[in-house]
Amino acid sequence: MAQGALFDEPAQQGIVALGPEARVLRGFALPWVDRLLAALAEVERAAPPRHMLTPGGLAMSVANTNCGALGWVSDRRGYRYSATDPQSGQPWPAMPAAFAELALAAAAAAGFADYAPDACLINHYRPGTRLSLHQDKDERDHRAPIVSVSLGMPAVFLFGGLARADKALRVPLQHGDVVVWGGVDRLRFHGVLPLKELPHPLLGAERINLTLRQAG
Ligand code: MD6
Ligand code: FE
C-alpha cells in the first residue's frame, strides 16, 4: 500500500509520504535535469566544490559548494550561513532560475505554497561517501521546507524522527527524485548511507544533491 494512505490523503502516483509534511516526489526533477546540469557547471566554475572542515577539524567526506544569497559553510568555528564563499571572498553565485523554478514546483507539489529559497547547498558524493544523521537547524525558520534533489548514482536516504535514537526510514533515492520536508517534519533527523558504486549513465560514479532552503 502506498504510504500516502497513512496520512489521510489519496495516494498520488509518484508521491510517497514520509510524514504529515514530508514527501518523496519520484522522478520530479527529470524534466529539469539538462537545465540543472548546465547551470550547475556555471555555478561550480565560480565556486568549485571543496571538502569543508567539520568543527572537529576533519575534512567532510562530501564535497560541497553553494549558490544563492546565502551558503551553508562548515569550519572549525562551526556551521553557519554566509553570504560569501570563504574560499574566494566573493558572494556565492546567484541561484540559477532552473533551481528556483524546480524548488518552487516541488514545494507546491508537496503542499508548501509561497516557497522562496535563498540558499542551495550542492553536495558531491563518491562511492563510500556518507552523511551521518543530523537535523538542519542553522536556518532562521524551522518550518519552511527543505527541497532535496538527487542526481546521478542512487543512494539510501535515512529519514528518522525528532530524536536521534528514533528508528529511521530507509528511502532509496534515484536520479531525478526530490524529497521535500517542512512544517512538523522539518526537524527530523536525516542522513545518507555510504554510497555503493553503481555508476550512473549520465554522471558516472557520482551523486549530486541539491539542497534548497529558506535560510535567512
Ligand atoms: C544530502 N544533505 O546531501 C542531504 N544538511 O543528500 C543534508 O542533509 C545536509 O549536506 C545539512 C547540512 C549539510 C548537508
Ligand atoms: Fe540536512
Side-chain angles (χ1 to χ4, degrees):
M1 190 205 290
Q3 277 180 280
L6 294 172
F7 300 100
D8 289 333
E9 64 178 38
Q12 269 181 276
Q13 186 70 24
I15 301 189
V16 181
L18 302 179
E21 296 185 90
R23 298 288 182 275
V24 182
L25 310 175
R26 296 279 177 216
F28 193 89
L30 290 175
W32 273 274
V33 165
D34 290 352
R35 286 175 67 203
L36 295 177
L37 292 176
L40 183 66
E42 286 284 310
V43 165
E44 295 193 336
R45 251 202 325 225
R50 77 295 304 261
H51 295 273
M52 293 181 182
L53 293 182
T54 64
L58 300 172
M60 293 186 67
S61 79
V62 174
N64 52 39
T65 185
N66 293 277
C67 59
L70 292 171
W72 183 87
V73 296
S74 176
D75 61 20
R76 287 175 194 276
R77 287 160 52 204
Y79 306 129
R80 65 191 170 281
Y81 281 92
S82 167
T84 53
D85 176 351
Q87 199 156 278
S88 67
Q90 298 298 306
W92 295 104
M95 179 87 71
F99 286 30
E101 283 171 27
L102 167 58
L104 252 73
F112 297 96
D114 303 321
Y115 189 46
D118 55 7
C120 178
L121 172 67
I122 299 159
N123 283 326
H124 288 259
Y125 293 76
R126 297 282 181 187
T129 303
R130 66 190 289 265
L131 190 70
S132 50
L133 272 184
H134 66 276
Q135 292 170 294
D136 286 14
K137 291 174 110 170
D138 304 317
E139 301 74 27
R140 203 167 50 81
D141 176 349
H142 285 169
R143 291 184 65 88
I146 292 175
V147 173
S148 172
V149 180
S150 291
L151 299 170
M153 289 206 297
V156 177
F157 183 62
L158 299 174
F159 199 64
L162 295 174
R164 184 179 292 278
D166 291 347
K167 193 169 164 51
L169 296 168
R170 289 175 175 232
V171 185
L173 294 179
Q174 307 281 342
H175 178 72
D177 289 348
V178 179
V179 186
V180 182
W181 67 102
V184 298
D185 291 317
R186 175 60 175 70
L187 290 178
R188 286 173 65 172
F189 277 86
H190 56 279
V192 178
L193 287 183
L195 253 72
K196 291 189 180 162
E197 183 150 9
L198 296 166
H200 183 267
L202 197 58
L203 290 170
E206 184 168 46
R207 172 175 186 258
I208 302 174
N209 178 262
L210 312 177
T211 303
L212 293 110
R213 292 102 180 241
Q214 219 163 274

